[in-house]
Amino acid sequence: MSRIKEFNLPDLGEGLTEGEILAWLVKVGDDIELNQPIVEVETAKAAVEIPAKWAGRVQAIFHPEGSTVEVGVPIIAIDTDPNAGPIEESTTATPASELPTPSAASLAAVQVAPAEGMVEPGLIGGVAPGGRTAVLVGYGPRNAPAKRRPRKGDAPAPAQAAAPVVPAPVAPAPVAPAPGPAVNGNGRVSGPVLAKPPVRKLAKDLGIDLATLTGSGPLGSITREDVQRAATAAPAAAEPLTVAAPAASAASFGADRERRIPVKGVRKLTAENMARSAFTAPHVTEFLTVDVTRAMKALDRLRDRREWRDVRVSPLLLVAKAVLLAVKRHPMVNSTWAGDEIVVKEYVNLGIAAATERGLIVPNIKDAGRLSLRELADAMTDLVQTAKSGKTSPADMSGGTLTITNVGVFGVDTGTPILPPGESAILAFGAVREQPWVHKGKVKPRLVTTLGLSFDHRIIDGELGSKFLRDIGDFLADPEAALLAWT
């Protein structure tokens, strides 16, 4: 077996089909250890760090940062015996497909990269523990690696891996067009454009027309470097054509004042899930405005207790407790539509929606209904700290059964949230504001909030949805009385 081994982009067990290389954590020539993080990849769910499958020395990196790579494609070559002397030219890398699959333990180190600018309290709601997991559901990977159909006229050539990235890359010299075929005005041979799918995708994202480029790759194919060179040169090439406009010229409303953002990763999957949910599950949203003055006073008394002084206590904690108690009284709310049957779940994996720069994630607290109020508070605190430190793994964002989204942290009164796929209800918790309120026959300033409950009308009818929302409101209006009455 060759000492040079190629490491393919793995399927992390979340329906991953491709990933974008955000950052290499090693470089050519570095000595690495087994399970050492070597690359940060953005998948359809989150940004994750992938650990090394072998110890050794980095021999080559096949894809630069910013590349989109399909699962199963080699991304790095590792010399597993760097002290054995020089590598013979005839030595070839051992494909990862011929090697044992990575163990679950080696991939368990995968973690979500930190997301800067996360809204305090870190989440559209706040705070959860070691038992969290996501509503973002991926789709299955292909069963076989993608293959390009041979084009007519292609000369047979040995299979080549993507050009390795070395510390000081030298731009390849352009390949002169072969004599014979007609050449268009852009200096390239007319006919089908030769480019790999990732190159075509990059060109599309950057707004580059491949037909205008001259390829520097084999058989005149267009490489990633050709596209990036064209994208860099485009603004400079346009400068000589710019004509000085009069000071009073009309405002431009063209592409020069527009910005295009590629839709990928978490945002792409969120968009697909939200569109599928909105047009699959018949949504109904109900609203309830509640006087939560007593609940806020109860939180103040709780914070003053000695055993709670080091615990993070927020209004979201009481909302979460209210939801869990209401689920016990109305278990059908915690269910999933499964075509010819409804699956009612006897456990509650309570999701807390989190806004990050990469998009929406929903880590959840596993079996939250079994937790005491103190355990629930600790779990929510752990969820926030884990998200802030960038350690929320894809596994921590799956399996949610019911979700809370705290739009109140943005100063919003309420909303009509869209159901996460596979769930039948989601609660929007609005801002708590001081408002005039009729209390004991007199108008007084009271602390008031508005709740918005969206639910799947295939499972939850108006009566059930209304009772569930009313119970949540009753708990928040007088938590002590509700606990005495329901427990």
Side-chain angles (χ1 to χ4, degrees):
M1 181 181 292
S2 171
R3 59 189 262 197
I4 306 299
K5 298 179 181 178
E6 293 180 353
F7 180 34
N8 297 344
L9 180 66
D11 176 5
L12 302 176
E14 52 176 276
L16 175 67
T17 59
E18 64 178 14
E20 179 186 355
I21 295 178
L22 296 180
W24 281 104
L25 308 179
V26 296
K27 62 182 182 295
V28 174
D30 283 358
D31 291 328
I32 60 176
E33 299 177 356
L34 178 66
N35 291 333
Q36 174 184 335
I38 57 175
V39 63
E40 183 183 4
V41 176
E42 184 177 57
T43 71
K45 286 189 176 181
V48 299
E49 291 181 355
I50 297 179
K53 193 173 174 181
W54 313 280
R57 181 171 297 157
V58 178
Q59 185 69 20
I61 292 175
F62 296 129
H63 299 277
E65 295 177 358
S67 304
T68 299
V69 184
E70 292 187 353
V71 168
V73 173
I75 58 174
I76 190 172
I78 299 174
D79 182 355
T80 57
D81 191 9
N83 298 321
I87 302 173
E88 299 179 5
E89 293 184 3
S90 59
T91 301
T92 58
T94 302
S97 59
E98 298 179 7
L99 298 164
T101 57
S103 65
S106 68
L107 291 180
V110 171
Q111 296 177 340
V112 174
E116 297 180 2
M118 184 173 296
V119 178
E120 178 68 30
L123 308 173
I124 288 183
V127 221
R132 341 161 275 290
T133 336
V135 200
L136 306 181
V137 181
Y139 27 83
R142 300 179 203 170
N143 293 327
K147 297 181 180 179
R148 180 173 74 84
R149 180 182 301 172
R151 294 185 174 86
K152 185 176 181 181
D154 281 1
Q160 296 181 352
V165 177
V166 293
V170 179
V175 178
V183 179
N184 63 20
N186 300 309
R188 67 173 297 277
V189 178
S190 60
V193 177
L194 300 181
K196 295 181 178 179
V199 177
R200 294 179 183 274
K201 183 178 183 300
L202 176 64
K204 182 179 179 181
D205 292 343
L206 297 178
I208 301 298
D209 184 1
L210 292 177
T212 64
L213 305 184
T214 300
S216 62
L219 300 176
S221 62
I222 296 173
T223 66
R224 179 177 294 274
E225 288 73 20
D226 295 332
V227 175
Q228 292 172 337
R229 228 180 352 257
T232 304
E239 278 186 19
L241 302 178
T242 303
V243 179
S249 62
S252 169
F253 300 102
D256 59 324
R257 297 179 64 190
E258 298 174 348
R259 185 164 61 100
R260 297 179 180 271
I261 302 174
V263 179
K264 56 188 177 181
V266 173
R267 191 166 299 280
K268 180 178 180 181
L269 185 63
T270 300
E272 292 172 349
N273 283 339
M274 293 299 97
R276 184 171 70 252
S277 177
F279 294 102
T280 300
H283 284 56
V284 173
T285 305
E286 294 184 335
F287 306 97
L288 180 64
T289 303
V290 184
D291 176 3
V292 294
T293 305
R294 289 184 178 179
M296 298 303 103
K297 290 181 178 179
L299 284 180
D300 291 338
R301 293 195 299 272
L302 196 61
R303 295 186 186 103
D304 291 338
R305 294 185 66 86
R306 186 188 319 161
E307 62 270 29
W308 281 78
R309 288 175 184 172
D310 295 330
V311 180
R312 175 179 166 79
V313 179
S314 70
L316 185 62
L317 173 61
L318 287 187
V319 174
K321 188 64 177 180
V323 167
L324 294 171
L325 288 174
V327 166
K328 289 183 179 180
R329 291 166 59 82
H330 310 284
M332 183 66 75
V333 171
N334 188 51
S335 58
T336 297
W337 182 266
D340 56 353
E341 60 184 3
I342 296 173
V343 181
V344 182
K345 299 174 181 178
E346 297 179 357
Y347 56 90
V348 181
N349 292 342
L350 184 63
I352 305 294
T356 71
E357 285 190 343
R358 291 191 176 93
L360 177 72
I361 64 172
V362 189
N364 61 70
I365 306 171
K366 294 293 184 61
D367 217 357
R370 292 180 176 270
L371 303 180
S372 66
L373 186 63
R374 173 58 187 267
E375 291 170 336
L376 185 61
D378 291 339
M380 296 176 73
T381 299
D382 184 59
L383 183 146
V384 169
Q385 293 176 345
T386 301
K388 282 185 176 181
S389 63
K391 296 181 180 179
T392 306
S393 69
D396 291 333
M397 297 185 295
S398 62
T401 64
L402 196 150
T403 295
I404 300 173
T405 174
N406 185 6
V407 297
V409 296
F410 305 114
V412 175
D413 290 331
T414 190
T416 56
I418 297 177
L419 293 168
E423 299 184 20
S424 62
I426 178 172
L427 180 74
F429 174 39
V432 177
R433 304 181 187 277
E434 190 174 60
Q435 297 182 17
W437 192 265
V438 178
H439 179 66
K440 296 182 179 179
K442 296 181 180 180
V443 177
K444 297 182 179 181
R446 304 286 286 181
L447 296 174
V448 177
T449 190
T450 301
L451 307 173
L453 177 71
S454 292
F455 53 86
D456 186 342
H457 215 350
R458 296 173 300 181
I459 302 173
I460 304 172
D461 56 24
E463 180 184 9
L464 175 58
S466 299
K467 288 181 177 179
F468 179 71
L469 183 58
R470 182 199 62 196
D471 280 358
I472 295 173
D474 286 348
F475 180 91
L476 294 176
D478 193 345
E480 292 100 331
L483 284 172
L484 290 173
W486 299 346
T487 60

